[in-house]
């Protein structure tokens, strides 16, 4: 039999242990809950500390970067300022070099003059309407032979009456012609050079720019050593031809015209005309004198002046008598002569292109495009037979001109004084405002030209001669050159034969060499 008391005691022990375990379990639950709460707090604190650490790291990195940037900026600021000043100086010098065309580019290996001219869309070669130079046989060959202007030699490989094809050879033959003139006795016999030889000598010297020594050798070679023309004789040919040129008729043609193109260019000479007309010698150096041209489509007159003052223009006594349109390159003294002035638009557009490319001023490009647009409109009107610009269109151009001038003033107001391009812009704006009537005359009056290229072309040979010869030897040489080239340029414009024109100068001359 079981012991009931023992069993009860055992059960009580088990119940007591069970109660103790339950209590202990409750305590453990409470502790676990407390630990979980502490764990959550620790996690939250850890996340907060981690976030704070990241913020501190970011802040420290930003501070370091800013400190480095500040240190670098402080260290490089003087260098950047110096570089900026040097860049401005380089641009200024480039602009100055680009505008200085008084010396040939070959004299300075570092100089490269920018081309400010407008590129044409025309194809290379002869343009439509251009008269070619194709070798051909003149249809009036028999007449030329009878007149003694040509010689016709026939070499035949076929018998008379047989069919043939003609091959031609065109050549030039130089032959010395001795003309004997028999007369009654009286004056002693004379010998002189003929008109054609004198004309050829002057042409080759003045137009071909052949030196007297080489020209003397040329005549010696082409005549099989029969002619030995001295350098002094060749110089005398030029002087005699120059004295025979009468410019009064050319001047009258200029004065009777509507427009006179005027320009001048410097040349070097060992002598110049001083006070009271007495020549001054430069010694080891040279003087700078000026050749001035007065021209229109049919006539050219060149004059020589020791300086480029207004008094020298008065001495020429051409513009002082003229009452029409003076086309010029914005030379101040020329504005004092004539009734109206057409200032060259080609020079203006080239200057504006230089301002756009060298001074980086977009405003200059807008003004330049405006003038080119007006010139194209004028060309279209003239091509269609119009003699003047429509009133409404002209009014539009006038308003647009004023707007561009005002835009230039506004741009100038925003720029600092003495900054790069400031002076160029200021001078251009003032010029366009002051000389508006002169720059718009070519649209107001279609008789007025857009460019002064007529005068530029007449002076081109002067610069070529200076490049070849360096300088003139005497003041008389400059005057002779102007007289002869006035004759030749006019004859060329009028379609006259230059050699025959020169020969006519000697037709009434006394013998040049006896």
């Amino acid at each position: 039999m079981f012991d009931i008391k023992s069993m009860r005691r055992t059960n009580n022990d088990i119940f007591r242990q069970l109660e103790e375990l339950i209590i202990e379990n409750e305590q453990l639950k409470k502790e676990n809950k407390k630990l979980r709460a502490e764990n959550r707090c620790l996690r939250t604190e850890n996340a907060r500390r981690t976030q704070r650490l990241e913020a501190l790291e970011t802040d420290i990195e930003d501070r370091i970067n800013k400190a480095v940037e500040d240190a670098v900026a402080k260290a490089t600021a003087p260098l950047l300022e110096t570089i900026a000043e040097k860049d401005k100086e380089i641009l200024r010098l480039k602009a100055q070099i680009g505008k200085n065309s008084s010396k040939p580019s070959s004299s300075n290996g570092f100089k490269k003059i920018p081309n400010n001219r407008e590129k044409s869309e025309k194809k290379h070669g002869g343009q439509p309407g251009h008269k070619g130079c194709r070798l051909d046989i003149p249809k009036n060959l028999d007449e030329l032979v009878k007149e003694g202007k040509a010689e016709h030699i026939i070499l035949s490989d076929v018998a008379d009456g047989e069919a043939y094809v003609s091959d031609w050879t065109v050549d030039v033959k130089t032959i010395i012609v001795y003309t004997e003139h028999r007369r009654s006795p009286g004056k002693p016999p004379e010998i002189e050079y003929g008109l054609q030889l004198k004309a050829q000598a002057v042409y080759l010297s003045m137009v071909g720019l052949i030196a007297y020594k080489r020209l003397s050798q040329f005549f010696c070679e082409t005549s099989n050593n029969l002619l030995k023309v001295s350098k002094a004789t060749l110089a005398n040919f030029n002087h005699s031809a120059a004295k025979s040129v009468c410019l009064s008729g050319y001047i009258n043609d200029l004065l009777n015209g509507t427009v006179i193109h005027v320009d001048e260019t410097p040349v070097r000479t060992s002598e110049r005309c001083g006070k009271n007309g007495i020549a001054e010698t430069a010694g080891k150096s040279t003087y700078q004198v000026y050749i001035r041209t007065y021209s229109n489509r049919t006539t050219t007159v060149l004059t020589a002046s020791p300086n480029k003052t207004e008094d020298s223009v008065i001495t020429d006594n051409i513009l002082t008598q003229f009452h029409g349109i003076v086309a010029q390159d914005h030379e101040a003294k020329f504005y004092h002569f004539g009734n109206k002035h057409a200032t060259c638009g080609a020079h203006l557009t080239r200057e504006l292109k230089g301002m756009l490319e060298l001074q980086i001023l977009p405003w200059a490009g807008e003004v330049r495009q405006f003038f080119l647009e007006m010139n194209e409109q004028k060309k279209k009107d003239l091509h269609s037979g119009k003699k003047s610009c429509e009133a409404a269109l002209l009014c539009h151009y006038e308003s647009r001109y004023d707007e561009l001038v005002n835009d230039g003033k506004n741009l100038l107001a925003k720029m600092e004084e003495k900054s790069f391009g400031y002076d160029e812009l200021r001078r251009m704006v003032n010029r366009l405002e002051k000389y508006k009537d002169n720059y718009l005359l070519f649209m107001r009056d279609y008789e007025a030209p857009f460019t002064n290229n007529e005068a530029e072309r007449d002076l081109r040979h002067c610069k070529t001669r200076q490049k070849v010869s360096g300088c003139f030897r005497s003041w008389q040489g400059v005057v002779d050159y102007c007289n002869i080239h006035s004759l030749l340029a006019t004859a060329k414009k009028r379609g006259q034969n230059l050699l025959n024109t020169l020969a006519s100068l000697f037709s009434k001359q006394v013998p040049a060499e006896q």
Side-chain angles (χ1 to χ4, degrees):
M1 292 185 66
F2 293 100
D3 189 354
I4 295 175
K5 290 184 178 181
S6 297
M7 292 179 63
R8 288 180 177 177
R9 192 169 39 253
T10 302
N11 290 335
N12 290 335
D13 292 336
I14 292 172
F15 281 124
R16 189 173 52 254
Q17 290 178 359
L18 182 61
E19 289 177 351
E20 289 176 357
L21 290 174
I22 291 172
I23 293 172
E24 185 178 359
N25 184 43
E26 291 294 333
Q27 290 177 350
L28 289 175
K29 285 183 178 179
K30 290 180 180 180
E31 290 179 0
N32 185 34
K33 186 177 181 180
K34 183 178 179 181
L35 289 175
R36 287 182 178 180
E38 290 179 356
N39 188 31
R40 284 196 297 272
C41 291
L42 289 175
R43 286 182 179 179
T44 302
E45 181 67 17
N46 184 44
R48 188 182 66 79
R49 291 181 180 276
T50 301
Q51 186 177 2
R52 176 62 179 167
L53 180 61
E54 291 177 352
L56 289 174
E57 289 178 350
T58 303
D59 183 61
I60 292 174
E61 185 177 357
D62 292 341
R63 289 183 181 183
I64 293 173
N65 292 336
K66 188 176 184 306
V68 172
E69 290 177 359
D70 292 342
V72 172
K74 185 177 180 180
T76 59
L79 297 177
L80 293 176
E81 184 177 353
T82 303
I83 291 173
E85 292 178 357
K86 297 298 182 182
D87 288 341
K88 290 182 179 179
E89 182 67 10
I90 290 171
L91 289 174
R92 186 187 69 82
L93 293 175
K94 282 184 175 180
Q96 182 177 349
I97 291 173
K99 292 185 290 186
N100 180 15
S101 59
S102 60
K103 295 177 66 178
S105 56
S106 58
S107 64
N108 188 342
F110 299 98
K111 180 178 178 182
K112 183 178 180 181
I113 300 176
N115 183 8
N116 290 334
R117 287 177 167 81
E118 192 71 17
K119 184 178 180 180
S120 173
E121 296 180 356
K122 297 179 180 178
K123 296 181 180 180
H124 292 288
Q127 302 302 315
H130 171 71
K131 187 177 180 180
C133 300
R134 183 174 180 271
L135 183 61
D136 203 352
I137 305 301
K139 296 180 180 179
N140 60 338
L141 178 59
D142 294 337
E143 296 178 6
L144 295 175
V145 172
K146 291 179 180 179
E147 295 174 1
K149 296 181 179 179
E151 184 177 345
H152 185 192
I153 299 175
I154 299 177
L155 302 176
S156 179
D157 295 334
V158 298
D160 293 340
E162 293 184 4
Y164 64 88
V165 175
S166 297
D167 296 325
W168 294 84
T169 300
V170 182
D171 204 349
V172 175
K173 179 170 63 175
T174 302
I175 186 171
I176 307 301
V177 179
Y178 293 91
T179 302
E180 180 184 1
H181 179 206
R182 297 177 180 179
R183 57 176 174 81
S184 300
K187 295 189 301 182
E190 299 175 348
I191 182 171
E192 64 173 335
Y193 290 108
L195 302 181
Q196 293 300 320
L197 186 143
K198 292 179 181 179
Q200 290 180 20
V202 174
Y203 182 91
L204 293 173
S205 174
M206 286 291 179
V207 180
L209 301 176
I210 301 178
Y212 291 146
K213 181 178 180 180
R214 294 197 301 272
L215 187 55
S216 177
Q217 295 172 349
F218 171 79
F219 283 118
C220 186
E221 293 292 337
T222 55
S223 65
N224 293 317
N225 296 325
L226 293 176
L227 293 179
K228 297 182 180 179
V229 189
S230 67
K231 295 188 293 182
T233 299
L234 294 172
N236 192 29
F237 289 164
N238 288 342
H239 185 56
S240 298
K243 288 195 304 181
S244 301
V245 176
C246 181
L247 297 179
S248 59
Y250 294 168
I251 294 175
N252 288 334
D253 291 339
L254 291 174
L255 297 179
N256 292 330
T258 306
V259 180
I260 284 184
H261 295 258
V262 58
D263 199 3
E264 60 192 7
T265 187
V267 294
R268 309 300 303 185
T269 177
S270 299
E271 286 184 352
R272 70 178 177 186
C273 182
K275 296 181 179 179
N276 300 323
I278 301 175
E280 299 176 344
T281 304
K284 295 182 179 181
S285 182
T286 56
Y287 292 119
Q288 180 169 280
V289 299
Y290 295 86
I291 294 179
R292 189 174 297 119
T293 179
Y294 305 90
S295 57
N296 56 28
R297 293 181 180 179
T298 61
T299 306
T300 297
V301 173
L302 299 180
T303 63
S305 300
N307 52 60
K308 58 182 302 184
T309 61
E310 184 178 341
D311 291 337
S312 66
V313 180
I314 296 175
T315 301
D316 291 342
N317 197 27
I318 296 178
L319 288 185
T320 51
Q321 307 177 63
F322 184 64
H323 302 289
I325 300 173
V326 177
Q328 50 128 328
D329 300 337
H330 190 59
E331 185 72 29
K333 60 177 176 289
F334 293 137
Y335 286 113
H336 299 154
F337 306 94
N339 289 341
K340 299 179 181 179
H341 298 87
T343 307
C344 181
H347 278 74
L348 176 67
T349 54
R350 288 199 290 269
E351 289 185 52
L352 291 170
K353 184 178 181 182
M355 292 175 62
L356 173 63
E357 296 179 351
L358 299 176
Q359 280 80 37
I360 322 298
L361 294 172
W363 171 85
E366 295 179 16
V367 180
R368 177 173 175 271
Q369 190 60 39
F370 170 66
F371 272 89
L372 294 177
E373 176 187 336
M374 287 194 295
N375 189 36
E376 286 299 319
Q377 180 62 44
K378 180 177 180 178
K379 290 179 180 179
K380 292 179 181 178
D381 289 348
L382 293 175
H383 183 71
S384 61
K386 295 182 180 179
K387 301 297 183 181
S388 62
C389 182
E390 296 179 359
L393 183 59
L394 180 60
C395 183
H396 167 72
Y397 286 144
E398 298 264 1
S399 301
R400 180 63 179 145
Y401 187 99
D402 294 335
E403 290 176 4
L404 288 171
V405 172
N406 290 331
D407 291 344
K409 289 182 179 179
N410 294 334
L411 177 60
L412 190 66
K414 297 177 182 178
M415 297 176 64
E416 296 182 3
E417 283 193 32
K418 305 303 179 182
S419 61
F420 180 67
Y422 179 87
D423 289 336
E424 287 80 3
L425 178 60
R426 175 181 57 81
R427 286 192 292 266
M428 180 57 69
V429 170
N430 292 340
R431 187 205 302 183
L432 291 175
E433 183 178 29
K434 182 177 180 181
Y435 295 95
K436 174 183 176 180
D437 293 337
N438 308 122
Y439 279 116
L440 287 181
L441 182 62
F442 79 101
M443 290 301 294
R444 295 173 177 174
D445 185 355
Y446 275 9
E447 291 287 342
F450 176 68
T451 72
N452 192 30
N453 289 346
E454 191 73 44
E456 297 280 343
R457 286 190 292 267
D458 287 334
L459 289 177
R460 193 169 296 159
H461 190 270
C462 304
K463 307 308 293 184
T464 303
R465 188 200 181 283
Q466 180 163 293
K467 291 179 181 179
V468 173
S469 303
C471 70
F472 289 90
R473 295 295 182 89
S474 65
W475 175 251
Q476 187 61 50
V478 182
V479 175
D480 291 349
Y481 175 87
C482 291
N483 288 348
I484 294 176
H485 265 277
S486 298
L487 174 78
L488 294 175
T490 301
K492 186 175 181 179
K493 289 180 177 181
R494 299 179 181 182
Q496 300 171 355
N497 183 278
L498 300 188
L499 286 176
N500 292 341
T501 301
L502 290 172
S504 66
L505 296 177
F506 298 100
S507 60
K508 297 181 181 180
Q509 288 289 314
V510 296
E513 182 175 356
Q514 299 182 4

